[in-house]
Amino acid sequence: MRRTPSRRLFAAALLVASVLAPTATVPATAVPASVPAGSGHHGGEECRDGGLGPELTARLDKAVEDVRVQAGIPGIVAGVWMPGKGCYVHATGVADKVTGRPMTTYGSVRIGSETKTFTVTALLKLVDEGRIGLDDPISRYVDGVPNGDNITLRHLAEMRSGLFPYTSDPGFIQDLESHPTRQFAPHEVLAYGYRHNNTFAPGAQFEYCNSNLVLLGLVIEKVTGRRLADVIDSRVLRPAGLRETLFPHAAEFPEPHPRGYTDQTPDGSVADSTDWNPSWAWAAGAMISDLHDLRHWAKVVATGELLSPETQAERLRTLPTGFPGTSYGLGIFETNGWIGHNGSIPGYETVTVYLPAQKATMVLMLNTDIQSAGEEPSTLVARAVTGVVTPNNVYDRPVRPPLSDPTL
């Protein structure tokens, strides 16, 4: 059965499953165009502290390349940083299947549901300022939400609202697949979900639902009186020092970037989705970033550098998801010790996670979201990499919503 966009706005990878920012700069480590596809290269700019040694590096190269070939992934960028041990940054495969342009460790990708970590961070900063409360009902800020008097901001952030996911609505799927360059508004996408009854009482269980994050984006706009993209830029990206991360208004995409490939099309054929409009994902999955920024963000979000200790503790109070080994907090997951999020949007998948026990960071960027043997390609790569570098903390099977629901 072909996957639908509802299943993947962002790779259900709970692992284990608008203002345009400046164009990304190209570091001096760019790989010459003559490098053959699949040969790969190691990014010295992002691995200044030295590698993990020739033996471990060779094992990682093989693990990543084996998954890439077996899963049919066009290109992969993999980065691992382990203080006191070294680092590994590697690109393999192609960024463009037509020209054969090689994948490189610089450039931007669409990060899908990793956007949720930025949206929830902006929300939690408002909590720290006393401008909102996590247990406020959504009806206080947004009208028309089914059962809105009983659904709290906390329920929305921890995926326990019971709202029907708009990305599971057949009408939405048809409209998006038929017109992937279309501009969607937040209230417009929410309306698709409101056609359906809520699926359970607030707080009763976990269900990944992008409607939740769109509503939180509207709360941020209501309270601040500013566009969500501007709030995230000024209150999250700039304080965190993220210069190449942005929240696009429509289909903007800074150069350079790899082409993205998806099978989320009306007939299930593979298409180049690079320039599709991610506005339908908005606060749940529209953002763009690069390897450097994601590496930094992994630690910031996992350790709460932008939040008070009390609010970060609330964020990390994870609850069971129904998937062994994986729990979910406020816009963040924990699986086998790794804390962070993954993302999937037509054409791209990412994983950005931090392992507090070893102060280790892993970032993965892929230019496809086409599943292999029923699994997200980013999960396969993450499992292979952590199986080599952190065998006691292997990134496990991500949380996967039902086929009728999209993505984590």
Side-chain angles (χ1 to χ4, degrees):
M1 178 176 179
R2 184 172 59 82
R3 289 171 301 154
T4 63
S6 72
R7 287 189 287 278
R8 309 189 7 203
L9 164 53
F10 99 126
L14 249 154
L15 280 322
V16 231
S18 307
V19 181
L20 185 61
T23 301
T25 56
V26 181
T29 54
V31 173
S34 59
V35 173
S39 65
H41 76 283
H42 294 83
E45 181 69 14
E46 290 300 330
C47 196
R48 297 191 183 97
D49 300 329
L52 292 172
E55 181 181 351
L56 196 56
T57 296
R59 288 176 58 199
L60 282 166
D61 284 352
K62 184 178 187 303
V64 171
E65 188 63 11
D66 284 351
V67 172
R68 189 187 72 79
V69 172
Q70 292 166 12
I73 302 167
I76 298 171
V77 174
V80 177
W81 296 267
M82 305 181 73
K85 296 182 179 179
C87 50
Y88 171 86
V89 177
H90 183 59
T92 182
V94 296
D96 187 326
K97 295 200 295 185
V98 174
T99 66
R101 173 167 58 94
M103 199 75 164
T104 60
T105 58
Y106 61 89
S108 301
V109 296
R110 300 194 187 279
I111 64 172
S113 282
E114 287 196 31
T115 300
K116 293 175 173 67
T117 61
F118 295 94
T119 299
V120 173
T121 298
L123 183 87
L124 294 178
K125 287 175 71 71
L126 295 176
V127 171
D128 272 341
E129 295 166 8
R131 300 173 71 178
I132 63 172
L134 283 171
D135 297 312
D136 292 346
I138 184 61
S139 60
R140 182 175 299 178
Y141 306 98
V142 182
D143 295 331
V145 180
N147 201 23
D149 289 342
N150 297 309
I151 295 173
T152 67
L153 305 188
R154 186 189 301 274
H155 289 143
L156 296 168
E158 65 188 11
M159 299 295 178
R160 293 176 179 268
S161 71
L163 290 170
F164 185 90
Y166 70 86
T167 45
S168 293
D169 176 73
F172 169 77
I173 295 167
Q174 180 179 1
D175 290 346
L176 178 62
E177 289 187 338
S178 300
H179 305 285
T181 59
R182 170 181 172 179
Q183 184 78 15
F184 286 89
H187 284 290
E188 185 179 8
V189 296
L190 288 171
Y192 288 101
Y194 293 169
R195 297 173 179 175
H196 306 266
N197 293 330
N198 290 9
T199 55
F200 53 83
Q205 64 187 68
F206 172 91
E207 181 181 34
Y208 199 78
C209 174
N210 290 307
S211 303
N212 296 336
L213 268 289
V214 172
L215 284 168
L216 293 181
L218 291 174
V219 170
I220 293 168
E221 292 195 332
K222 175 77 171 181
V223 173
T224 64
R226 303 173 63 199
R227 292 189 311 165
L228 176 63
D230 295 337
V231 175
I232 288 179
D233 180 63
S234 65
R235 311 207 60 198
V236 179
L237 303 183
R238 292 184 187 181
L242 308 184
R243 300 180 180 179
E244 310 298 345
T245 303
L246 66 136
F247 196 123
H249 171 67
E252 308 97 305
F253 204 162
E255 294 283 359
H257 57 255
R259 308 300 296 180
Y261 303 94
T262 188
D263 62 355
Q264 296 195 70
T265 57
D267 62 0
S269 61
V270 177
D272 183 328
S273 58
T274 309
D275 300 316
W276 288 8
N277 190 335
S279 60
W280 61 274
W282 200 52
M287 289 180 68
I288 293 167
S289 192
D290 69 359
L291 181 67
H292 177 275
D293 276 12
L294 292 179
R295 172 196 176 184
H296 183 60
W297 180 243
K299 182 173 182 290
V300 170
V301 72
T303 62
E305 290 182 14
L306 299 183
L307 304 173
S308 69
E310 296 77 18
T311 299
Q312 179 67 3
E314 289 287 312
R315 177 174 217 166
L316 296 180
R317 188 179 299 163
T318 60
L319 296 171
T321 61
F323 300 89
T326 300
S327 57
Y328 202 86
L330 301 178
I332 198 168
F333 65 68
E334 188 278 330
T335 181
N336 283 355
W338 291 96
I339 296 173
H341 218 292
N342 65 305
S344 179
I345 196 165
Y348 299 91
E349 288 201 348
T350 55
V351 174
T352 298
V353 288
Y354 182 77
L355 183 63
Q358 299 189 39
K359 297 183 179 179
T361 298
M362 178 175 68
V363 176
L364 304 176
M365 307 191 308
L366 286 65
N367 61 341
T368 188
D369 67 321
I370 299 173
Q371 290 186 349
S372 175
E375 293 203 75
E376 301 294 338
S378 59
T379 298
L380 297 174
V381 179
R383 187 180 299 143
V385 169
T386 54
V388 173
V389 296
T390 56
N392 293 325
N393 300 93
V394 176
Y395 184 104
D396 203 352
R397 185 177 182 85
V399 166
R400 180 177 302 287
L403 286 181
S404 60
D405 185 30
T407 150
L408 244 199

